């Protein structure tokens, strides 16, 4: 893998035509901007579902989607193989909701059938009960990641069970997260992350964007930024969620 400091940071947004609900595109904007503010040259590539996924990206972002686009995306990603190559090359992958389910071993598609995922995360998703998981979420991120409280918005039918090959990304204080009733939210291992949080989640939690950048750069710390507007958004959303509760 090339050094993003010299080659430029290659930021890949996977399938914006199929997987980008509830403002997930904002995740791309946040990573790009925060990298540029640290003086990095960023090459953003939006890869539509009829295009091959390059295996040479440094950071890949995948959003959420409705059930049918999710099935189409899974079919094409399996056939393409680029994301799996990228993961094997040590790329950082951050996925949301439908994207998260696709990174797992399998999920239940819009036809009610089990659909294979990419197996990049040791998780399996099934259909939940009659009630969708919808609403604001507050959660404490895994201590290993050293991140502040997670704020986001969830809207999903799927319920995701974690295997021994991943750790929960967070534990919910409010909301459902993985929907298993055990309080877990999302999953991660090494450089691959999945979460149910929309929002967009990286605008609500810019420290996660910085974590992705640190992993891609192999950097221990990044120069601090003026996060006044991010902080105001966080405060507002956390207060609103707490009021709703
Ligand atoms: N279709 C999936 C579900 O309902 C994912 C939804 C989403 O990405 N918001 O579980």
């Amino acid at each position: 893998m090339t050094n993003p400091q010299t080659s430029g940071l290659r930021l890949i947004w996977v399938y914006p035509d199929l997987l980008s609900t509830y403002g997930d595109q904002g995740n791309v904007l946040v990573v790009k901007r925060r990298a540029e503010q640290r003086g990095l040259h960023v090459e953003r590539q939006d890869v539509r579902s009829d295009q091959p996924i390059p295996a040479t990206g440094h950071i890949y972002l995948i959003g959420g989607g409705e059930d049918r686009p999710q099935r189409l995306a899974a079919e094409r990603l399996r056939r393409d193989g680029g994301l799996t190559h990228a993961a094997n090359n040590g790329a950082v992958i951050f996925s949301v909701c439908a994207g998260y389910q696709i990174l797992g071993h399998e999920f239940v598609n819009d036809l009610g059938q089990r659909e294979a995922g990419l197996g990049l995360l040791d998780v399996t998703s099934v259909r939940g009960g009659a009630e969708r998981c919808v609403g604001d979420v507050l959660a404490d991120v895994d201590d290993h990641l050293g991140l502040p409280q997670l704020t986001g918005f969830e809207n999903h039918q799927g319920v995701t069970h974690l295997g021994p090959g991943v750790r929960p990304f967070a534990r919910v204080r409010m909301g459902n997260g993985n929907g298993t009733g055990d309080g877990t939210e999302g999953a991660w291992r090494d450089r691959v992350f999945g979460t149910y949080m929309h929002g967009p989640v990286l605008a609500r939690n810019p420290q996660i964007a910085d974590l992705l950048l640190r992993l891609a750069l192999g950097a221990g710390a990044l120069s601090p930024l003026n996060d006044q507007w991010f902080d105001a958004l966080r405060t507002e959303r956390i207060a609103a969620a707490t009021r709703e509760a």
Side-chain angles (χ1 to χ4, degrees), residues 21-22 64-67 70 97-98 101 132 155-158 198:
T21 48
Y22 314 121
E66 302 304 327
D67 291 357
Q70 177 173 347
C97 205
Q101 295 178 9
R132 285 180 77 84
N155 186 347
H156 56 103
Q157 182 81 42
H198 299 281

Side-chain angles (χ1 to χ4, degrees), residues 78-241:
R78 283 197 312 267
R79 204 181 318 135
D80 179 88
L83 204 54
T84 303
H85 284 302
N88 293 340
N89 285 343
V92 176
I93 304 178
F94 183 82
S95 62
V96 175
C97 205
Y100 167 38
Q101 295 178 9
I102 292 172
L103 291 199
H105 299 298
E106 64 177 43
F107 61 91
V108 176
N109 68 19
D110 58 318
L111 308 173
Q113 294 159 351
R114 288 160 55 185
E115 178 87 33
L118 300 179
L120 297 178
L121 285 173
D122 182 16
V123 304
T124 299
S125 299
V126 295
R127 276 274 168 89
E131 295 248 317
R132 285 180 77 84
C133 299
V134 183
D136 259 56
V137 176
L138 282 180
D140 297 319
V141 180
D142 186 345
D143 283 345
H144 285 63
L145 297 170
L147 295 171
Q149 192 172 46
L150 176 68
T151 150
F153 171 80
E154 64 181 338
N155 186 347
H156 56 103
Q157 182 81 42
V159 164
T160 299
H161 297 274
L162 276 51
V166 289
R167 294 177 59 87
F169 182 58
R171 301 224 165 238
V172 293
R173 285 173 180 248
M174 248 193 71
N176 298 284
N178 289 320
T180 44
D182 62 358
T184 62
E185 189 320 275
W188 72 284
R189 57 132 185 124
D190 307 319
R191 295 158 162 253
V192 184
F193 298 83
T195 177
Y196 270 109
M197 298 301 95
H198 299 281
V201 65
L202 299 185
R204 289 206 196 187
N205 308 273
Q207 305 304 332
I208 302 177
D210 284 0
L211 168 71
L212 305 181
L213 287 172
R214 278 191 277 120
L215 287 170
L217 294 170
L222 297 174
S223 53
L225 299 176
N226 179 349
D227 280 341
Q228 187 188 354
W229 292 107
F230 287 106
D231 291 341
L233 173 66
R234 285 179 65 76
T235 307
E236 191 268 324
R237 291 321 307 161
I238 291 171

